[in-house]
Amino acid sequence: MKVRWSIGKAGSILHCNLCSVDFPPPQNGLAMMQYAPLYLLAKAHEALEARLIAAEGGIEDEHDSKTLEGTSTSAAGTPDAPGGSTSASASLATADNEHTIFGRSVKKWEPFPDSAKALKELSKYFHLIVLSNVDHASFAYTHTYLSEGTFPSPPYDSQQASPLYSRPSSNPDPCNLWLPHLTSGSKSPFSLILTAQDTGAYKPAHAGFIAVLEAIRSEPYLLVIPGSNHASIPATLPTLEEIKSKTLIVAQSLIHDHQPARELGITSVWIDRLGASLRPVPSANCREYGWSWRFETLGDLVQAVANEVQNKEHFP
C-alpha cells in the first residue's frame, strides 16, 4: 500500500489513540473548563459504563452503580449538565469509587507494544503532534513511556511522571504551547502536544482539531519535513486550508478522529487495531468515515513510509 501523499505533502502528523485504553468524552456539550481534570476522566468512565450497559440491553443495579455525585445512575440518567464549580468537582473527584479510581489510573495505561519504536521512526520524517482527550498531568505519564520506550513496574501509585515529559510550568514558548523539544534532555518524539486542558474541548468536537491547526499556524516550521533548511519554512503565515493540506491524522478511533477529519477536510490514516476498540464496527471497511489508508499497527505504517523513502519517490 502506497503512502506517497503523506511523504510528499505532509509536514505534520496528528496522532491519537497511542495507548491501549480508549474512552468517550464525558458528555456532549460539557463545559470542561469548569471542572477539575480528574473529575472529567471520572465522568468519562461513568458515561462509558452507562453506554456499555445500554448497548448490552442490561439494567444496572442502582445499589451498586453510583455517579460521582452519589446518586444512582439509573436515577440520574445522564451525567449532570455543566454548571458545577471547579472546587466542587475537585472535591467529588477525590472520593474513592470506581469512577475516580479510573480517573487516577492513567499512569497504568500501557502503550501499544509498537507505539514507542514506531513514533521514533516516524519523527525522522514528520513533525508528530498529539491531540489527547486527557489533561496535562495525566498525559505526562504516557509521554514518559513513549519517549523512554519503557513501561514501569508496579506499584504505580508511588511513581511520579518525569519532569522531562511534563508540561513546563515556566513555558519558554511565547504562545504557551507544549513544545517538548524546548525541554533540555527530552527524548520525546513529539513536536507539539495539545490536551483537552489546552483546547477546552473533547474530540470529536471540531474545536480541538482547529486548535491544533491554529497552533501549527503559529509555528510554521511544523509544516516542513524535520531537518529541512529554514528556506523551506513559509515566509508568510499559511491559511488553515494550506495547513490541512499538509497535515495527516493518524488514529484508531473512527468516531473521535476520522469522522471529524472527514468533516474538516483533513486526510487520515486508520490504525485499525483489531479487537482494541470498545465500539462495534459499523461496516466491513468503515469507508464512510473517510480514511485514505488503513494499517493494523503503527509499525505497519512505519514500514510503508520506509519503503517509500527507500524508493526515493516524492521525497526530497
Side-chain angles (χ1 to χ4, degrees):
M1 181 179 292
K2 293 292 186 180
V3 288
R4 294 175 183 171
W5 185 95
S6 64
I7 287 291
K9 294 178 66 179
S12 300
I13 284 186
L14 178 57
H15 270 289
C16 312
N17 312 117
L18 298 168
C19 293
S20 54
V21 177
D22 185 21
F23 59 92
Q27 176 187 351
N28 289 336
L30 181 66
M32 67 157 294
M33 298 314 289
Q34 296 181 4
Y35 296 93
L38 176 57
Y39 176 83
L40 291 164
L41 285 170
K43 291 298 282 188
H45 183 270
E46 180 184 311
L48 178 58
E49 178 186 60
R51 291 182 191 183
L52 289 173
I53 291 172
E56 294 174 357
I59 300 175
E60 53 192 321
D61 185 340
E62 64 178 292
H63 298 293
D64 295 332
S65 183
K66 298 289 185 181
T67 67
L68 289 180
E69 290 74 21
T71 58
S72 67
T73 52
S74 57
T78 57
D80 286 357
S85 68
T86 301
S87 59
S89 63
S91 176
L92 287 168
T94 59
D96 280 328
N97 59 52
E98 60 188 3
H99 305 309
T100 55
I101 289 171
F102 172 84
R104 292 194 292 267
S105 72
V106 176
K107 64 179 70 175
K108 304 177 185 179
W109 296 2
E110 187 169 0
F112 289 110
D114 64 308
S115 291
K117 183 178 179 181
L119 291 170
K120 290 290 186 185
E121 289 299 312
L122 289 172
S123 68
K124 298 176 182 178
Y125 310 110
F126 305 96
H127 288 288
L128 305 184
I129 299 170
V130 171
L131 176 61
S132 173
N133 266 2
V134 298
D135 58 279
H136 298 155
S138 298
F139 189 78
Y141 292 95
T142 303
H143 191 200
T144 299
Y145 309 153
L146 292 173
S147 300
E148 295 292 337
T150 58
F151 190 73
S153 301
Y156 305 100
D157 292 338
S158 62
Q159 301 184 32
Q160 299 297 316
S162 169
L164 281 178
Y165 303 110
S166 300
R167 196 182 200 282
S169 55
S170 178
N171 198 339
D173 179 60
C175 297
N176 197 32
L177 295 174
W178 188 351
L179 304 172
H181 70 274
L182 295 182
T183 301
S184 178
S186 171
K187 300 177 184 177
S188 176
F190 304 119
S191 297
L192 170 66
I193 296 170
L194 288 174
T195 72
Q197 193 171 348
D198 299 297
T199 65
Y202 275 103
K203 300 179 296 178
H206 289 187
F209 295 90
I210 293 173
V212 172
L213 299 176
E214 292 286 4
I216 295 173
R217 192 167 188 263
S218 70
E219 302 287 347
Y221 72 88
L222 294 172
L223 291 174
V224 301
I225 295 173
S228 299
N229 58 49
H230 290 286
S232 60
I233 298 175
T236 59
L237 288 179
T239 66
L240 292 187
E241 291 304 314
E242 288 172 333
I243 295 170
K244 289 179 186 180
S245 73
K246 295 178 178 292
T247 300
L248 193 65
I249 290 180
V250 177
Q252 173 194 338
S253 177
L254 295 165
I255 298 293
H256 298 116
D257 300 297
H258 293 281
Q259 182 168 304
R262 182 199 65 199
E263 293 165 350
L264 289 167
I266 305 174
T267 303
S268 68
V269 175
W270 183 25
I271 305 300
D272 180 15
R273 297 186 182 275
L274 303 176
S277 176
L278 292 173
R279 290 185 178 274
V281 177
S283 67
N285 59 22
C286 303
R287 277 293 187 181
E288 64 269 30
Y289 289 95
W291 55 267
S292 296
W293 297 283
R294 173 188 169 276
F295 300 94
E296 292 186 4
T297 68
L298 272 181
D300 293 341
L301 172 59
V302 169
Q303 187 58 56
V305 171
N307 291 342
E308 186 177 346
V309 171
Q310 186 175 12
N311 293 334
K312 302 294 183 181
E313 295 180 357
H314 300 272
F315 195 80

